[in-house]
Amino acid sequence: TTRSWDYLSQSLNSPGNLVNDGNMGEGIIIGILDTGIWPESESFKDEGLGPIPSRWKGVCETGERFNSSNCNRKLIGARWFIKGFQAELGRPFNTTENVDFMSPRDALGHGTHTSSTAAGSLVRNASYKGLALGIARGGAPRARLAMYKVCWNIGGGQCASADMLKAFDEAINDGVDVLSVSIGGSVPFFSDVDERDGIATGAFHAVAKGITVVCAAGNSGPFGQTVENTAPWILTVAASTVDRGYPTSIMLGNNRTILGQALFAGNKEIGFTGLVYPETEGLDTLEAGACESLSLNGTNAGGKVVLCFTTVARRIAVVRAASVVKEAGGVGVIVAKNPTSSVAPCDDFPCIQVDYEIGTQILNYIRYTRSPVVKLSPSRTLVGKPIATKVAFFSSRGPSSIAPFVLKPDVAAPGVNILAASSPFDPFMDNGFAFHTGTSMACPHVTGIVALLKSVHPDWSPAAIKSALVTTASKDPIMAEGPRKLADPFDYGGGIVNPNKAADPGLIYDMGMTDYIQYLCSMGYNDSSISALAQQPTKCPSEPPSMLDLNLPSITIPNLRNSVTVSRTVTNVGPIYSIYKALVQAPMGVEVILRPSVLAFNSATKKFTFSVTFVTTHKVQGEYYFGSLSWSDGIRVVTSPISVQTEIIPSYVDN
Amino acid sequence: DAASNVHIVNMGQRQHDDPAVVVDSHHNVLASVLGSKKAAAESMIYSYKHGFSGFAARLTEAQAEMIAKLPGVVRVIPNRLHKLH
């Protein structure tokens, strides 16, 4: 967060932005479902905060190394839920085997990280061993926090649906305004009305009470149809990079200098030393040099830097290679891999990432030089324009596998190499702060922004807030990692979240309980399931309503045959007398007809319903093509992403 | 009981504004299947009483099936684990 809020134009010293207009989230209460919190972190100091909002009904539960004095005017509530998890475990949770605390105290660091990203107080001179130096803070630094610990330190953090449902239930009663949930399931997902999901049903009840629920989209990218937390009442967040990199100099013996990426914070450079690539002879000549199965048998790596190649995107390949090289007495590793922006420290050991092209050039230097040598320098922090924004490789992609008519994810936010507070038990922590990467880190960025929006627009519904964020998000030019391509709505929904524009969207696509029930009926869920979820007797019409007419801030048609007409209703939340004109960017091969194309609002007309007809000219079973529909009054631009797939043969899958 | 697993029992709309009365109703439903209030109290894990009416309890498959057939019970489903992102 030492860069992400500036990147999102939320600098505290810039008047007229949302963080200042929203009084830094003063008066807003953010609930976090996560691994707990490290209350002594500087990020949770309460200096300058006024009294706890009187509507707050939550508590500060005590437990192992956590008592009521651990709460303050910043951390105003803390609860913990373990019974459902423990029952799944089938035995008592052994907190010695897996360090954790039977209390809201965080061992893993994840909950501390997400909490400080959403609403942490200002901490100056935060860094990871000097890297990413700056002010660490939350998006809404004056908002209050309530931790609902539902995840436990086994296998990277696991959380039971029974516990999560209880946390939602208590948070609703406690009086939170926003809930942040960096948790999810895995394909195949449970339906929106199935309590096993824990999040969709819990979130439904929260949203019904006006509480916005922000969730992580998942880390199963770049594959399509992997996006999680897809219910239309949830605000689902993909992960993008910020304009910050960590160039790390690799100087070859031929005087060529290459800048790789690493979080190597060593004080001294590693002077010219031997450079090797473990090449073997025999049937599989490449196996020895593969980072994930690196074998240095027969390679003298002592005091040298080792080059390896990997096709494994996950960090495990880098970790494994660093460990093997270190064990063999090596002094560094250069990992050639499919380029991704996510880097992580290797315990003060240089593990530098380069792409295949650079890796191949280094390999050629090794192969065709008698005594190859290399010099490695510590990483530097580079911020600003030269660094492009990308949707992260790992960020789960749409379309939704549950309801492809509902565009997911909704928006993207910074979630790569985020420096925020952590627990002392986090192996990546330095002086209270750690870099972490994931849609878990993107989610609380949006949570903080939602808190600010709530502060400015207390009467906006969760759907209105989502609409404002989706329709004002920044789109171009943004690339998506893995493989590199221009990002589309299945990568980032409406785009990269733009807080200042979201504060004044002009028009919103609002929704309420009736719309969500319409969605549930369209999905074919039975009346009793819907009644149970909606907390009201519900009878769906015999002819189910069209899913396409759900008043979403986006239009997704997964099965366009010939033509279809969809309708939307916009509500004017800008100046009373406004005229909006439409601009349509039609998806390739699809004709778009809009009626009307001009909307004139006045004191009597605050809402307009319009229709959009899509006619396909594709003659073959199509891929998705993307476009957009924008309304503009000359100042504001309200853009809905459009995604259309032509369907010639129903239910035919060949991709 | 090794054969008992946590199940989430959804009882739909809250029938009473007083959370204590809602919790009592959950214990009554559970007791009607488990045979006693004491057994219900031991089996009960959580009462959900604000967002919706329901509870989580340790149940065998047979008990879960019996509860699912009771009036006022919408659905009984097993607990599941999720992961951090």
Side-chain angles (χ1 to χ4, degrees), chain A residues 190-194 200-201 230-233 402-403 519-520 523 525 533:
Chain A
F190 292 108
S191 82
D192 300 307
V193 295
D194 191 322
T201 48
T230 56
W233 46 87
I402 290 184
Y519 162 80
L520 295 166
M523 285 290 285
Y525 297 130
L533 185 67

Side-chain angles (χ1 to χ4, degrees), chain A residues 11 36 73 103 172 245 259 275 281 293 297 466 477 524 560:
Chain A
S11 302
R73 283 169 298 167
S103 73
I172 290 167
L259 293 175
L275 175 63
E281 291 173 2
S293 57
N297 297 335
K466 178 156 85 173
L560 178 59

Side-chain angles (χ1 to χ4, degrees), chain A residues 286-297:
Chain A
L286 297 179
E287 199 180 327
C291 306
E292 63 277 14
S293 57
L294 191 66
S295 166
L296 296 175
N297 297 335

Side-chain angles (χ1 to χ4, degrees), chain A residues 100-113:
Chain A
D100 212 328
F101 302 95
M102 292 298 199
S103 73
R105 184 172 289 278
D106 182 14
L108 202 57
H110 191 278
T112 304
H113 206 275

Side-chain angles (χ1 to χ4, degrees), chain A residues 539-588:
Chain A
K539 181 143 184 56
C540 292
S542 52
E543 184 69 29
S546 169
M547 183 82 75
L548 295 172
D549 289 334
L550 200 62
N551 204 37
L552 296 164
S554 55
I555 300 172
T556 304
I557 305 171
N559 52 1
L560 178 59
R561 303 182 77 185
N562 303 320
S563 74
V564 72
T565 298
V566 307
S567 70
R568 290 287 185 275
T569 300
V570 284
T571 306
N572 181 19
V573 293
I576 291 167
Y577 295 93
S578 301
I579 295 175
Y580 281 84
K581 292 179 182 170
L583 176 70
V584 174
Q585 283 194 324
M588 193 175 83

